[in-house]
Amino acid sequence: MASHSCSFIIIPDASSECKRFTVSKSLIWGFLASAVLVIFLIGGVLYVMISEYRAMAMKAGQLDKLKKISVSQKNTIDRYEQDITQLSKHLAHIQQLNSRLMVLSGLDPAQNNDGKGIGGGDELESSSEEVNTGENGELLETEP
């Protein structure tokens, strides 16, 4: 009949007595199963931690690239703001010159001009006279 336990003998140096331990096989199998389970759990936790570390390292690399892009875009936006400010100053100067020219030409810049000086209509106004055009679409003089 098979034995249900294992005996361990510890042999110390020559002056001490031998010690004997008896442990059941089910306890040994339970200990081995627990050890294997713990090893798998530690391996799984390490795998997850390493994969998270790699993902974080990739994100850190992307963060550096995005910081460089952000600085570049901020510099571009600052230049655009300076350009817009400069263009606004030029526009104000042009409007001031326009109002001076209007005063010199005898027009009141504060008065609404109702579209005077903006340009003519898009279509020719119809009149009682006929308009003669040449072959190329150019206007020809008509005799009254």
Side-chain angles (χ1 to χ4, degrees):
M1 190 152 105
S3 170
H4 295 295
S5 63
C6 291
S7 296
F8 295 98
I9 300 174
I10 299 177
I11 303 172
D13 58 0
S15 63
S16 299
E17 292 184 20
C18 293
K19 295 185 181 179
R20 184 176 178 171
F21 295 101
T22 304
V23 180
S24 69
K25 286 185 179 179
S26 61
L27 184 63
I28 292 174
W29 284 111
F31 177 74
L32 288 175
S34 300
V36 168
L37 181 65
V38 167
I39 289 171
F40 277 120
L41 286 175
I42 290 173
V45 168
L46 286 175
Y47 176 77
V48 170
M49 288 176 58
I50 290 172
S51 64
E52 287 293 322
Y53 176 78
R54 286 182 181 167
M56 191 60 67
M58 292 175 79
K59 287 180 182 180
Q62 290 175 349
L63 179 65
D64 291 337
K65 290 177 186 177
L66 291 175
K67 281 182 180 179
K68 290 177 184 176
I69 291 171
S70 176
V71 167
S72 172
Q73 288 177 346
K74 184 172 182 152
N75 291 337
T76 303
I77 289 172
D78 289 342
R79 280 191 315 226
Y80 288 159
E81 287 177 359
Q82 291 172 355
D83 290 346
I84 289 171
T85 303
Q86 191 176 24
L87 287 173
S88 296
K89 288 178 183 177
H90 286 304
L91 181 61
H93 183 68
I94 290 172
Q95 288 174 342
Q96 184 182 16
L97 287 175
N98 184 35
S99 64
R100 286 182 185 174
L101 287 173
M102 289 180 77
V103 168
L104 286 175
S105 64
L107 297 174
D108 185 16
Q111 179 184 10
N112 189 2
N113 293 329
D114 296 329
K116 294 180 185 175
I118 294 176
D122 291 339
E123 298 178 9
L124 292 174
E125 294 182 17
S126 61
S127 62
S128 60
E129 299 178 4
E130 290 184 17
V131 178
N132 294 329
T133 59
E135 293 176 5
N136 294 334
E138 55 194 30
L139 292 175
L140 299 176
E141 293 184 21
T142 57
E143 296 180 14

